[in-house]
């Protein structure tokens, strides 16, 4: 098990050495400073990949973790702001976040889709991977739940 958390100057990391063992702090040198929450997903090769934004940056930072080493990864172009959710699939990452205009965007299978209409979420939406694909779910300003699947662009 791995746990990542945003810190003031770096991303902090805790992990178990084996199932049932205690979780211990395991620093990973060289992680760039985050501007908010950090999303982690399993890469197709089985390593961990972190996704987050650096302070005052619209670009998404992608960092691959291998043991106690970190190296920059060629993450997808996913400009925006705020929290990004991530899930690992054999085809690559699935990402959910806001674009620079505040609209929800999904990155699935190498393609980015933007939700151009529908209810605006209050707070952050959540990413769900289901049998039909990636789905964004959230609560609207009217207090009702909503969902959006990029393959249908329907609310």
């Amino acid at each position: 098990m791995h746990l990542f958390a945003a810190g003031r100057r770096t991303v902090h990391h805790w992990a178990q050495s084996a199932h049932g063992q205690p979780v211990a702090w395991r620093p990973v040198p060289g992680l760039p400073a985050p501007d908010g929450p950090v999303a982690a997903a399993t890469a197709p090769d089985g390593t961990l990949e972190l996704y987050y934004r650096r302070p005052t940056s619209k670009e998404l930072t992608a960092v691959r973790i291998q043991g106690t080493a970190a190296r920059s990864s060629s993450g997808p172009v996913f400009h925006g702001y705020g929290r990004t959710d991530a899930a690992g699939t054999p085809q690559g990452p699935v990402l959910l976040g806001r674009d620079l205009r505040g609209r929800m965007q999904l990155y699935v299978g190498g393609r980015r889709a933007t939700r151009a209409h529908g209810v605006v979420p209050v707070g952050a939406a959540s990413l769900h991977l289901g049998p039909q694909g990636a789905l964004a779910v959230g609560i609207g300003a009217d207090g009702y739940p909503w969902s959006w699947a990029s393959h249908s662009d329907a609310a």
Side-chain angles (χ1 to χ4, degrees):
M1 178 181 75
H2 294 268
L3 172 67
F4 295 94
R8 180 173 283 180
R9 293 183 184 89
T10 189
V11 174
H12 299 290
H13 176 228
W14 295 264
Q16 287 179 307
S17 56
H19 179 72
Q21 296 295 312
V23 176
W25 184 56
R26 300 188 193 281
V28 179
L31 290 175
D35 189 31
V38 177
T42 305
D45 67 0
T47 59
L48 286 174
E49 203 154 55
L50 305 181
Y51 299 95
Y52 58 94
R53 300 196 193 284
R54 297 182 71 185
T56 69
S57 177
K58 67 179 181 180
E59 288 87 17
L60 189 67
T61 296
V63 179
R64 181 128 334 156
I65 304 294
Q66 293 176 312
T68 58
R71 65 179 172 83
S72 292
S73 178
S74 59
V77 174
F78 199 67
H79 296 329
Y81 68 91
R83 177 180 129 187
T84 300
D85 279 355
T89 71
Q91 293 77 35
V94 176
L95 304 171
L96 171 67
R98 290 185 188 269
D99 71 5
L100 292 170
R101 293 175 54 193
R103 302 173 300 181
M104 298 310 305
Q105 61 179 340
L106 271 168
Y107 179 87
V108 181
R111 293 180 32 192
R112 186 177 56 86
T114 303
R115 187 171 193 240
H117 56 75
V119 177
V120 176
V122 173
S126 294
L127 176 62
H128 173 73
L129 294 184
Q132 300 297 318
L135 183 71
V137 294
I139 300 291
D142 57 4
Y144 287 97
W146 60 265
S147 63
W148 169 60
S150 66
H151 59 273
S152 68
D153 198 35

